């Protein structure tokens, strides 16, 4: 088992690169100001990867919201830099977004909380409808959500989470809980799904990743395990070796 | 058009643990046996191998090993007066599918029932009086006793290679085991699992209180093991991906590791996968099964005649198959009569998290599915209930089965659910939190039952199973009592 401190990719080195990433993100926010008049199909400048599902105005809201759910700090990146928007985008564009993992036969009726999700909207439809309502609301007010102050954004998200409004037929709590759950998934799922970039979510917690053999370690109670995490992709390389 | 196949002695519906065990015994006795499994074939190699198998999103969150909910869901409601709606994505109920069934994704926690469980009604009435038990609970005796079943518990544990320490060998209490267990005829085939740090801290605390800790019996191997069928298993390496996952290491007892290879070698047995049984066929008098009708993957229907039909699809789908086939008298909660679907019980759980300071590294990811150090002092009828106003009980166990971060990122009460403070808290507590599971009995009531849904259908046009279930007051009181003991 490696217990290095200073090799490339070690936590100490990661902290440096995370700090650098934070600076880059801040720069990118300024760039957005300059492209406001750009055509609608131009991607925001801070999206390095093309998006499969979200339109630019949707991506702006989602990026701002998930970065309030998991904000960047001095040591660890926030949701956007961890690839959470890319994760949600891929999920919505794929089988999950089109309710491909759900029993999807009617009649669709309103249920009780113990009966779980019963809206007639696929996850992708739910996102699209709800975000449209949010963005319409803020464009009517003249300032889009992503331009609000952090406190204003937090207050609005709290209102959604306490079911303070309805978004094109979606109780706002359903949408906001859904967005929060997807944010957590994107921050902590294996990087093969587009989030958890460079395993930052795992590094932050100290989760060593899905591949491990603890037979010799489990009864060394209280030891500090300090090694590089291993993801599905990196473990495939290990298996080749 | 349904094609009629050549008759066999036995059809087994569902090839999980129970189906495989029944088929193996009957085929070994010389009967011709066909096993019909609705799901696909799958084996430790290649299906359960790295790198794909340890995927938290796919298996824990999207429930990749569970019954295909897009084709076969269940409906749910809390009371008979409510309208049931389909469970559109699995949450509380996690029925498995594919070859091996839930025996592939289980955790390996291997408990026996106790002598009291089999004569529960008699025991409660004798010990506490007839008026003590809440009259809404419809408890019964089983009609078989522990003594009759002990040889089969024993056989099962040796087949699976269960690891543990006996607490009661032929009536003699053993140090280090569970003194409350009912007698066992011999030791476990394997020693107990290694204990986690949280378990050791728990053991110390409860011993000082005079309780009786022991290591959870586990069918994750604690050493290399060759079972009585001659199949070899490896020692578990505590990787922390057990429940909801398949084991890639041949270290968890599953139908694939402990019995199926032997069954498939028997020429009297034939396995057909992707065979969706639609109904059990009955004779004119509805008294005798004559075989089953099933659909294959492309929807073609077959009739498989057989002298004996065995339904081994777990309690939920067993009830549905009987109701779809017109077997027995369906339970009617209005008059309390009928048997099929009666007395549905679930499980009752509570959780307690213990937050340590940052010098205590719990390492939650070093875990097996059946890791755990527990006490049975407040379980079953192991303590005097007369002053408590409920029956039943829970084990209290220090256990972390995993440190998978989508599911596991505990925070102390009062922490916000998101934002800067939340982020700091999950980071602070991830490796310094132990967990106690309070896992207990679920008493049957008159209004908790199973029947067929009047509205919602599966992909073959057949009614879904309808679950009507609410936690009985008795069990809420019981769990609160046990959570208080844990705290």
């Amino acid at each position: 088992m490696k217990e290095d401190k200073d090799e490339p990719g070690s936590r100490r080195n990661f902290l440096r690169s995370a700090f650098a990433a934070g600076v880059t993100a801040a720069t990118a926010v300024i760039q957005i100001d300059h492209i406001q008049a750009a055509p609608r199909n131009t991607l925001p400048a801070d999206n390095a990867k093309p998006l499969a599902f979200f339109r630019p105005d949707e991506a702006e809201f989602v990026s701002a919201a998930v970065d309030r759910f998991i904000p960047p700090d001095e040591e660890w990146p926030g949701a956007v830099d961890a690839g959470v928007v890319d994760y949600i985008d891929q999920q919505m564009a794929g089988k999950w977004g089109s309710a491909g993992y759900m029993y999807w036969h009617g009649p669709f009726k309103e249920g009780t909380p113990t009966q779980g999700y019963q809206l007639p909207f696929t996850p992708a439809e739910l996102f699209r409808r709800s975000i449209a309502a949010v963005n319409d609301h803020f464009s009517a007010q003249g300032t889009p959500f992503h331009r609000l102050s952090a406190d204003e954004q937090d207050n609005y998200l709290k209102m959604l989470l306490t079911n303070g409004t309805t978004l094109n037929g979606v109780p706002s709590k359903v949408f906001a809980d859904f967005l929060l759950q997807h944010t957590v998934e994107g921050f902590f799922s294996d990087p093969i799904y587009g989030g958890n970039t460079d395993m930052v979510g795992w590094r932050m917690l100290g989760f060593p990743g899905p591949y491990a053999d603890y037979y010799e370690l489990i009864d060394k109670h209280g030891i500090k395990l300090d090694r590089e995490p291993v993801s599905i992709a990196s473990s495939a390389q290990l298996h080749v070796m | 058009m349904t094609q009629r196949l050549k008759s066999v002695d036995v059809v087994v519906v569902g090839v999980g643990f129970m189906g495989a065990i029944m088929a193996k015994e009957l085929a070994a006795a010389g009967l011709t046996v066909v096993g019909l499994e609705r799901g696909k074939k799958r084996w430790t190699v290649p299906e359960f191998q790295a790198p794909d198998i340890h995927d938290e999103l796919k298996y824990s969150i999207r429930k990749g090993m569970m019954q295909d909910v897009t084709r076969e869901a269940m409906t749910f409601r809390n009371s008979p007066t409510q309208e049931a709606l389909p469970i559109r994505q699995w949450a509380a109920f996690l029925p498995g599918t594919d070859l091996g069934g839930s025996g592939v994704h289980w955790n390996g926690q291997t408990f026996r029932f106790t002598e009291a469980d089999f004569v529960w009604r008699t025991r409660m009435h004798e010990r506490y009086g007839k008026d003590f038990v809440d009259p809404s609970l419809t408890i019964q005796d089983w009609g078989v006793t522990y003594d009759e079943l002990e040889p089969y518990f024993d056989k099962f544990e040796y087949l699976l290679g269960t690891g543990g320490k006996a607490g009661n060998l032929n009536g003699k209490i053993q140090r280090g085991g569970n003194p409350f267990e009912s007698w066992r005829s011999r030791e476990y085939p394997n020693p107990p699992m290694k204990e986690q740090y949280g378990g050791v801290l728990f053991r110390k605390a409860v011993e000082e209180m005079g309780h009786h800790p022991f290591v959870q019996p586990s069918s994750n191997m604690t050493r290399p093991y060759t079972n009585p069928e001659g199949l070899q298993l490896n020692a578990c390496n505590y990787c922390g991906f057990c429940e909801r996952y398949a084991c890639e290491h041949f270290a968890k007892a599953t139908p694939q590791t402990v019995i199926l290879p032997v069954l498939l070698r028997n020429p009297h047995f034939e396995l057909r996968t992707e065979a969706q049984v639609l109904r059990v066929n009955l004779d004119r008098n509805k008294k005798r099964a004559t075989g089953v009708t099933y659909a294959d993957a492309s929807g073609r229907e077959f009739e498989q005649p057989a002298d004996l039909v065995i339904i081994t699809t777990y309690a939920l789908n067993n009830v549905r198959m009987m109701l779809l086939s017109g077997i027995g008298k369906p339970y009617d909660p209005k008059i309390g009569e009928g048997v099929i679907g009666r007395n549905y019980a679930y499980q009752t759980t509570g959780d307690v998290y213990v937050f340590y300071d940052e010098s205590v590294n719990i390492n939650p990811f070093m875990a097996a599915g059946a890791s755990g150090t527990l006490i049975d002092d407040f379980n079953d009828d192991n303590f005097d209930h007369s002053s408590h106003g409920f029956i039943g009980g829970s084990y209290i166990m220090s256990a972390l089965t995993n440190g998978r971060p989508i599911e596991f990122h505990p925070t102390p009460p009062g922490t916000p659910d998101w934002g800067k403070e939340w982020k700091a808290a999950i980071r602070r507590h991830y490796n310094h939190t132990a967990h106690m599971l309070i896992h207990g009995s679920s008493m049957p009531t008159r209004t908790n039952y199973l029947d067929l849904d009047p509205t919602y259908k599966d992909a073959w046009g057949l009614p879904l199973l309808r679950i009507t279930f609410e936690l009985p007051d008795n069990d809420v009181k019981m769990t609160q009592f046990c959570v208080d003991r844990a705290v």
Side-chain angles (χ1 to χ4, degrees):
Chain A
M1 180 142 319
K2 273 198 314 186
E3 296 196 17
D4 60 274
K5 291 277 191 288
D6 283 306
E7 283 182 29
S10 74
R11 197 177 131 189
R12 188 173 302 176
N13 272 321
F14 169 73
L15 296 184
R16 281 184 222 122
S17 57
F19 181 72
V23 173
T24 312
T27 312
V29 171
I30 296 163
Q31 286 173 354
I32 290 174
D33 292 344
H34 296 291
I35 61 162
Q36 278 308 301
R40 211 180 132 72
N41 61 354
T42 302
L43 290 167
D46 59 346
N47 273 299
K49 297 174 193 163
L51 295 174
F53 175 77
F54 288 126
R55 299 167 187 150
D57 63 316
E58 294 170 333
E60 279 171 350
F61 166 73
V62 171
S63 301
V66 300
D67 247 11
R68 294 315 302 155
F69 286 156
I70 307 182
D73 56 42
E74 310 75 49
E75 264 190 290
W76 299 99
V80 169
D81 286 333
V84 165
V85 179
D86 301 300
Y87 164 81
I88 301 176
D89 182 68
Q90 289 182 26
Q91 291 295 310
M92 291 307 129
K95 185 174 168 180
W96 170 247
S98 55
Y101 293 94
M102 289 181 179
Y103 178 81
W104 207 246
H105 304 281
F108 288 87
K109 294 185 177 183
E110 196 177 344
T112 60
T114 60
Q115 291 179 310
Y117 186 75
Q118 296 294 342
L119 288 172
F121 309 123
T122 66
E125 288 166 351
L126 182 93
F127 261 88
R128 184 137 281 159
R129 300 177 74 84
S130 306
I131 296 169
V134 170
N135 282 349
D136 286 351
H137 167 77
F138 284 105
S139 41
Q141 301 212 338
T143 310
F145 178 84
H146 69 274
R147 299 284 188 88
L148 301 179
S149 71
D151 280 348
E152 288 169 328
Q153 290 176 341
D154 284 357
N155 287 336
Y156 185 74
L157 292 172
K158 275 179 203 156
M159 186 277 291
L160 295 183
L161 284 160
T162 50
N163 215 19
T165 187
T166 302
L167 306 167
N168 275 335
V170 178
S172 68
K173 180 173 166 50
V174 174
F175 167 65
D177 282 345
F178 201 61
L179 182 60
L180 177 56
Q181 169 63 20
H182 282 73
T183 305
V184 173
E185 287 171 11
F187 203 73
F188 291 129
S189 56
D190 196 278
I192 56 172
Y193 293 103
N196 192 11
T197 305
D198 194 31
M199 302 180 276
V200 286
W202 298 350
R203 290 175 201 274
M204 184 183 93
L205 294 182
F207 175 61
Y211 277 90
D213 177 346
Y214 300 120
Y215 186 82
E216 298 294 346
L217 296 178
I218 185 166
D219 44 10
K220 294 192 169 58
H221 293 143
I223 61 157
K224 176 101 182 85
L225 188 69
D226 193 8
R227 69 147 163 83
E228 274 290 280
V230 177
S231 68
I232 286 176
S234 54
S235 81
Q237 289 161 359
L238 290 176
H239 278 254
V240 170
M241 285 159 66
Chain B
M1 203 191 84
T2 304
Q3 188 185 337
R4 192 180 156 90
L5 303 169
K6 193 166 160 277
S7 185
V8 293
D9 294 325
V10 185
V11 162
V12 173
V13 181
V15 187
F17 259 126
M18 294 309 115
I21 288 171
M22 294 298 285
K24 188 253 159 192
E25 295 295 325
L26 293 166
L31 300 178
T32 53
V33 183
V34 166
L36 298 175
E37 165 56 45
R38 69 178 166 188
K40 294 187 169 67
K41 265 183 213 173
R42 53 177 180 172
W43 296 99
T44 307
V45 180
E47 279 84 2
F48 305 158
Q49 287 304 295
D52 305 327
I53 198 67
H54 291 186
D55 182 339
E56 186 184 14
L57 186 72
K58 180 175 180 181
Y59 293 109
S60 284
I61 307 301
R62 303 280 184 254
K63 314 290 191 313
M65 295 228 155
M66 306 309 159
Q67 175 171 315
D68 182 352
V69 75
T70 68
R71 306 207 294 178
E72 272 182 280
M74 296 170 187
T75 67
F76 181 79
R77 59 181 177 172
N78 290 112
S79 83
T81 56
Q82 201 186 342
E83 185 174 13
L85 294 175
I87 298 169
R88 296 192 180 275
Q89 49 185 132
W90 297 122
F93 304 91
L94 297 176
T97 198
D98 295 335
L99 185 60
S102 300
V104 169
H105 77 249
W106 78 314
N107 253 344
Q109 303 170 348
T110 313
F111 292 98
R112 294 184 178 193
F113 289 109
T114 65
E115 288 168 305
D117 291 327
F118 290 96
V119 290
W120 192 247
R121 182 183 166 89
T122 303
R123 170 80 176 245
M124 292 301 107
H125 288 179
E126 283 175 4
R127 186 166 179 184
Y128 305 111
K130 287 206 159 124
D131 297 334
F132 182 77
V133 180
D134 178 343
S136 73
L137 304 184
T138 50
I139 54 171
Q140 292 178 235
D141 294 351
W142 282 62
V144 289
T145 65
Y146 179 84
D147 288 1
E148 289 172 276
L149 289 184
E150 200 286 334
Y152 302 98
F153 279 124
D154 176 81
K155 199 173 176 180
F156 186 69
E157 287 162 358
Y158 272 72
L159 180 75
L160 269 62
T162 307
K165 173 80 187 78
N168 178 343
L169 268 183
N170 297 301
K172 220 177 146 199
I173 301 301
Q174 307 291 310
R175 270 181 74 87
N178 175 13
F180 298 104
E181 72 174 0
S182 296
W183 68 278
R184 56 178 66 241
S185 48
R186 53 177 169 164
E187 252 303 350
Y188 286 96
N190 285 314
M193 298 212 93
K194 296 186 178 199
E195 286 182 276
Q196 296 169 306
Y197 192 19
V200 171
L201 296 170
F202 173 81
R203 170 185 289 279
K204 233 178 111 183
V206 295
E207 258 168 2
E208 280 168 17
M209 297 161 84
H211 303 320
H212 302 85
F214 61 99
V215 179
Q216 176 169 230
S218 162
S219 295
N220 316 134
M221 295 310 104
T222 54
R223 62 183 173 190
Y225 179 67
T226 302
N227 80 359
E229 301 297 335
L231 297 175
Q232 294 177 0
L233 290 90
N234 299 326
C236 168
N237 71 8
Y238 302 88
C239 74
F241 283 77
C242 201
E243 83 271 65
R244 306 186 183 189
Y245 299 81
C247 179
E248 68 167 323
H249 304 293
F250 295 86
K252 172 160 68 174
T254 64
Q256 278 81 348
T257 52
V258 305
I259 194 162
L260 280 172
V262 173
L263 173 62
L264 290 179
R265 278 204 296 271
N266 189 322
H268 297 304
F269 178 75
E270 185 194 341
L271 171 68
R272 293 179 203 148
T273 49
E274 299 186 276
Q276 179 81 21
V277 175
L278 305 174
R279 65 185 165 273
V280 178
N281 299 315
L282 304 178
D283 69 4
R284 228 167 267 230
N285 302 323
K286 305 254 176 198
K287 291 287 177 201
R288 196 184 151 78
T290 59
V292 301
T293 297
Y294 70 90
D296 73 3
S298 51
R300 292 177 303 177
E301 285 192 15
F302 297 88
E303 185 193 341
Q304 176 59 67
D307 292 335
L308 184 60
V309 175
I310 298 175
I311 311 174
T312 51
T313 63
Y314 188 67
L316 293 168
N317 284 322
N318 286 351
V319 167
R320 178 170 183 244
M321 184 57 65
M322 287 192 272
L323 292 171
L324 288 174
S325 309
I327 296 170
K329 189 177 177 188
Y331 174 66
D332 182 345
K334 285 193 213 84
I335 51 174
E337 284 177 18
V339 172
I340 312 301
R342 177 195 186 98
N343 279 1
Y344 176 65
Y346 178 60
Q347 61 182 345
T348 318
T349 58
D351 296 280
V352 174
Y353 288 91
V354 186
F355 296 94
Y356 288 100
D357 69 52
E358 284 179 280
S359 66
V360 179
N361 296 311
I362 293 293
N363 295 326
F365 37 81
M366 299 182 188
S371 287
T373 303
L374 68 152
I375 56 169
D376 254 355
D377 297 59
F378 302 103
N379 204 355
D380 207 66
D381 196 31
N382 301 342
F383 62 104
D384 186 354
H385 289 64
S386 36
S387 63
H388 298 311
F390 64 81
I391 58 171
S394 303
Y395 66 60
I396 300 172
M397 174 159 73
S398 169
L400 282 167
T401 62
N402 72 88
R404 302 187 297 263
I406 303 176
E407 300 152 274
F408 180 80
H409 46 264
T411 54
T415 310
D417 294 332
W418 51 276
K420 192 178 169 190
E421 213 182 310
W422 172 84
K423 189 184 178 195
I426 60 170
R427 187 182 157 203
R428 158 68 183 79
H429 296 287
Y430 175 78
N431 199 24
H432 313 290
T433 303
H435 171 240
M436 276 191 275
L437 175 64
I438 289 85
H439 195 172
S441 51
S442 171
M443 293 297 151
T445 72
R446 189 164 164 149
T447 51
N448 284 347
Y449 72 109
L450 307 172
D451 66 352
L452 294 176
D453 192 89
T455 306
Y456 294 95
K457 305 271 194 285
D458 71 9
W460 294 267
L462 300 171
L464 300 185
L465 184 75
R466 177 168 66 179
I467 302 171
T468 305
F469 182 81
E470 180 63 273
L471 288 172
D473 290 343
N474 178 84
D475 296 356
V476 175
K477 270 190 224 165
M478 179 278 291
T479 301
Q480 192 53 54
F481 170 83
C482 290
V483 167
D484 291 346
R485 299 282 101 51
V487 173

